[in-house]
Amino acid sequence: MPSKMLTTEEIKEINHAIELVPYKKAACIEALKVVQQNRRWVSDESLKEVAAFMEMSPEELDSVATFYNLIFRRPVGRHVILLCDSISCWVMGYEKIKNSLNEKLGIEFGETTSDDRFTLLPNPCLGTCDCAPALMIDNDLYRNLTIEQLDEILSKYK
Amino acid sequence: MEKPLTKHIRKDQRPLSLKEYEKVGGYESVRKILKGISPKEVQKIVIDSNLRGRGGAGFGTGLKWSFVPLDVLKPKYLIANADEMEPGTFKDRILLECTPHQLIEGMIVAAYAIQADVSFVFLRWAYKTAADTITKAIHEAYEAGYLGKNILQSGYDLEMHLHTGVGRYMCGEETALLNSLEGKRATPRAKPPFPQISGLFGKPTIVNNVETLCCLPHIINNGADWFNELSLTNDSGTKIYGVSGKVKKPGAWELPMGTTLRELIEVHAGGMADGLKFRGALPGGASTDFLVEDHLDVKMDYTHVAAAGSRLGTGTVVILDDKTCPVGFIKNLEHFFAQESCGFCTPCREGIPWVEKILNSIETGEGRLEDLKLLEFHTKYLGPGNTFCAFAPGAMEPLQSGLKYFREDFERHIQEKKCEFKNFKFQVSNSVES
């Protein structure tokens, strides 16, 4: 079966993480992060490559990968929107923001727009509760959200 | 009023560089202990300061350290728990983003006190700005000789690394955090053995919260008595309190430990938003029991909040106003807990989603009066002693107190088969935003 091997750069980054821990397997979450960073998500094929490199069975690695909210085992779009759905944001109008995003993007939570531009996901408390409601797109945090701001925010991401 | 933890935070929140931090007395505590205060003496100062963990559990910091054997071989580990993810909590973010060197200094003090040689900052994924500030500050501290081999020519070595998590509330529980650092699922471990004896990779380990660690340089510099006197009560120090929800000025403030809930809401948060009344509050995050109007004068420390039937938790208050549905509020909390349960033990994995379903039925007008008994059953059987860790008991705290204080709201939903709060929710949100 043809397999896209881990790149030299990926191996370098994973090895750096391995240096900090007493045995290889302990760096497996770091390895998953490296691969996801480069490939957007962790496909079955990527998972097997990482498992082989980390000297783990794919099943063992998958049990770790699927445990964590932010290791994506299904494809995501070019930009991931994480909308905080926890208590302070809920009190301050999270549902309006959610409904507006659903309408503007034509997708529900867990879905990706047909042009592969956005994936919309709920996310537990973003730790910015005094500025609720809040969301993150990729690495950017947006707070004190109103539905009027959403078009402008979304337009920054192509 | 002294604000040791936040006094050097700039208006624009730009963190101090190492040079700037040194100018205002930064790393003085490290110089002080390395010049001739023994690890045991450092522990004694911190025990005398009565510093209690700011992450939620409130365990004595010095006492926690004292169980680490000082004579065993290295490696030993010190971990800063920066996995702040308790809904409604945003205090550590401020310290991480604005005072990274204060955290590193505190970590060196803690590591020295237990003679650890390796340390990690376990940072939650979402804190991108903090990841940058901490990375830069660790680098600066290495360059200046505060980290690495033979720190300030004292013979003491300490390495420090940043680890960013991949998102799971359980990682905040210290033994689950250790599993996550070992590349495993973040499920809690059985205790004993306690991490102080067998923690990360089976070695002695201490996990301390960010705010706890940030108190340490000031305790070493100014003494245990000074720290005790900062407080208005017998629980020492200052506390970074926060208020979120529909108040005029949500925010976080460093105040003397023991400041009342009323002062937090009415003075610092500017009071309730126009047209809204206070109905209740979670005093320290999602996993704490509600306090209500009768409790407004409760002093917000470990002892007094416990006496009022709740917990100080993280000290960041979430407000429930009179136009927000208490059933919906609690359902939102239980949804969070149902999703974040690690699934390791059955009562938690199965029980909390069931609770969420029942609350959903009640909120949407399909509840039955006997559902209230079912919910009460869960608060008992998911309570302390019936689950593997403190996660499910924490999840039951807002539910059990909510059933007590807001019972008429639950009953009205069931009798009228609808949520009467739905109608004016939009109106109120608009007025807050304008």
Side-chain angles (χ1 to χ4, degrees):
Chain A
M1 190 176 72
S3 160
K4 195 175 124 204
M5 301 297 286
L6 292 172
T7 65
T8 322
E9 191 53 37
E10 284 170 339
I11 289 172
K12 199 176 135 198
E13 281 184 64
I14 295 169
N15 277 333
H16 178 69
I18 292 171
E19 278 170 28
L20 300 182
V21 288
Y23 49 88
K24 216 171 178 181
K25 214 161 83 171
C28 73
I29 293 174
E30 289 301 312
L32 289 166
K33 274 158 64 179
V34 168
V35 167
Q36 179 164 297
Q37 182 91 35
N38 291 319
R39 310 178 188 184
R40 272 200 241 164
W41 66 292
V42 181
S43 64
D44 287 352
E45 195 181 68
S46 298
L47 184 97
K48 282 178 198 161
E49 289 163 40
V50 175
F53 186 78
M54 300 307 286
E55 295 164 20
M56 298 167 79
S57 71
E59 292 77 10
E60 188 183 9
L61 184 63
D62 205 16
S63 81
V64 175
T66 54
F67 183 85
Y68 292 97
N69 299 341
L70 295 165
I71 295 295
F72 303 135
R73 284 287 282 117
R74 281 194 282 168
V76 293
R78 291 191 295 282
H79 308 287
V80 176
I81 304 174
L82 297 172
L83 178 62
C84 176
D85 65 352
S86 288
I87 190 63
S88 305
C89 285
W90 180 81
V91 168
M92 298 306 288
Y94 142 84
E95 272 172 52
K96 270 202 300 183
I97 304 290
K98 177 188 173 289
N99 293 339
S100 180
L101 283 172
N102 290 150
E103 197 183 306
K104 284 179 195 300
L105 300 172
I107 51 173
E108 297 292 322
F109 278 143
E111 294 178 349
T112 300
T113 53
S114 56
D115 59 0
D116 214 24
R117 187 166 155 224
F118 289 114
T119 296
L120 180 64
L121 296 173
N123 196 75
C125 188
L126 287 170
T128 185
C129 320
D130 53 339
C131 303
L135 62 74
M136 280 181 83
I137 303 182
D138 302 337
N139 291 341
D140 309 323
L141 177 65
Y142 297 94
R143 351 190 194 201
N144 293 314
L145 286 173
T146 60
I147 46 176
E148 290 74 26
Q149 300 163 344
L150 292 177
D151 282 332
E152 198 194 325
I153 293 171
L154 293 174
S155 71
K156 293 181 195 168
Y157 301 88
K158 301 299 171 195
Chain B
M1 189 165 58
E2 287 190 80
K3 299 183 178 189
L5 274 60
T6 55
K7 67 182 166 191
H8 297 305
I9 294 181
R10 292 180 169 117
K11 272 228 157 57
D12 65 1
Q13 305 209 328
R14 226 168 11 100
L16 302 188
S17 69
L18 180 96
K19 285 258 166 341
E20 291 167 327
Y21 184 63
E22 282 175 323
K23 261 188 209 147
V24 295
Y27 290 98
E28 208 39 57
S29 67
V30 172
R31 292 178 190 283
K32 197 169 168 180
I33 56 173
L34 292 182
K35 260 184 207 150
I37 303 181
S38 73
K40 270 284 165 209
E41 283 167 333
V42 173
Q43 291 188 13
K44 173 79 169 45
I45 296 168
V46 174
I47 287 171
D48 290 344
S49 78
N50 290 309
L51 173 64
R52 293 173 66 170
R54 305 299 200 231
F59 195 79
T61 304
L63 183 65
K64 187 177 192 179
W65 294 349
S66 71
F67 301 119
V68 175
L70 286 176
D71 49 356
V72 300
L73 290 175
K74 288 169 179 180
K76 282 193 274 186
Y77 296 100
L78 182 277
I79 295 159
N81 186 345
D83 193 54
E84 181 167 70
M85 206 167 158
E86 177 76 27
T89 302
F90 52 100
K91 65 180 184 71
D92 293 339
R93 179 198 276 272
I94 299 164
L95 295 169
L96 289 158
E97 290 183 357
C98 307
T99 65
H101 279 294
Q102 179 173 245
L103 173 66
I104 294 170
E105 185 178 354
M107 288 176 71
I108 300 171
V109 173
Y112 175 81
I114 58 163
Q115 289 292 289
D117 55 332
V118 183
S119 59
F120 288 93
V121 179
F122 190 104
L123 181 70
R124 79 169 288 203
W125 169 92
Y127 285 8
K128 298 292 183 189
T129 307
D132 291 343
T133 56
I134 299 281
T135 302
K136 188 165 171 244
I138 291 177
H139 179 73
E140 284 180 323
Y142 266 106
E143 293 278 297
Y146 292 118
L147 291 172
K149 298 275 177 226
N150 193 18
I151 297 171
L152 305 176
Q153 284 77 50
S154 66
Y156 176 62
D157 307 334
L158 180 65
E159 302 296 330
M160 189 175 287
H161 312 291
L162 173 68
H163 174 94
T164 48
V166 271
R168 231 17 229 266
Y169 174 67
M170 269 314 291
C171 293
E173 199 276 343
E174 66 177 17
T175 61
L177 182 152
L178 298 177
N179 277 341
S180 190
L181 262 183
E182 291 182 10
K184 298 171 183 158
R185 295 163 74 95
T187 53
R189 296 178 180 177
K191 293 188 273 195
F194 288 88
Q196 290 99 321
I197 307 296
S198 176
L200 187 62
F201 304 115
K203 304 294 179 188
T205 303
I206 284 288
V207 183
N208 283 147
N209 167 263
V210 167
E211 188 184 351
T212 312
L213 290 162
C214 287
C215 291
L216 296 171
H218 309 289
I219 293 172
I220 296 300
N221 288 335
N222 301 306
D225 290 345
W226 168 85
F227 194 73
N228 276 290
E229 280 161 20
L230 289 176
S231 162
L232 303 173
T233 64
N234 288 331
D235 292 340
S236 61
T238 59
K239 179 78 194 72
I240 300 184
Y241 295 107
V243 175
S244 67
K246 287 180 177 162
V247 290
K248 286 203 178 78
K249 294 184 293 179
W253 317 275
E254 184 181 10
L255 296 165
M257 181 70 86
T259 302
T260 63
L261 183 58
R262 185 187 298 281
E263 185 184 327
L264 291 182
I265 298 168
E266 293 178 3
V267 178
H268 304 285
M272 296 299 295
D274 289 336
L276 298 179
K277 290 200 184 86
F278 174 84
R279 187 101 202 270
L282 305 173
S287 58
T288 56
D289 281 281
F290 280 98
L291 296 180
V292 291
E293 207 166 353
D294 290 346
H295 302 121
L296 280 172
D297 292 311
V298 166
K299 295 180 172 74
M300 290 280 286
D301 69 5
Y302 301 97
T303 313
H304 289 87
V305 179
S310 185
R311 291 188 304 118
L312 179 63
T314 60
T316 38
V317 180
V318 187
I319 303 286
L320 170 67
D321 60 81
D322 67 334
K323 302 276 169 74
T324 295
C325 176
V327 177
F329 189 102
I330 296 166
K331 187 186 91 173
N332 176 278
L333 299 173
E334 299 308 331
H335 168 73
F336 165 80
F337 287 115
Q339 178 187 300
E340 291 299 317
S341 170
C342 78
F344 176 78
C345 79
T346 310
C348 183
R349 183 185 64 237
E350 304 298 326
I352 302 177
W354 196 8
V355 163
E356 187 195 347
K357 276 184 196 156
I358 297 169
L359 289 168
N360 195 47
S361 301
I362 295 174
E363 199 203 13
T364 53
E366 290 168 4
R368 309 160 306 167
L369 272 175
E370 55 266 38
D371 286 339
L372 298 181
K373 283 211 175 68
L374 255 181
L375 288 175
E376 274 163 359
F377 170 92
H378 280 82
T379 63
K380 187 173 170 196
Y381 287 95
L382 293 181
N386 292 318
T387 56
F388 192 76
C389 80
F391 181 101
M396 292 303 104
E397 288 182 27
L399 178 62
Q400 69 191 10
S401 48
L403 284 167
K404 185 164 99 188
Y405 296 128
F406 312 121
R407 184 126 199 140
E408 72 273 25
D409 292 275
F410 283 88
E411 288 171 354
R412 203 168 51 245
H413 277 78
I414 293 166
Q415 280 150 4
E416 295 179 4
K417 299 191 184 304
K418 63 174 186 191
C419 175
E420 64 169 34
F421 289 90
K422 292 260 188 240
N423 299 328
F424 38 67
K425 200 184 268 171
F426 276 94
Q427 225 178 333
V428 171
S429 297
N430 284 336
S431 74
V432 166
E433 280 161 15
S434 61

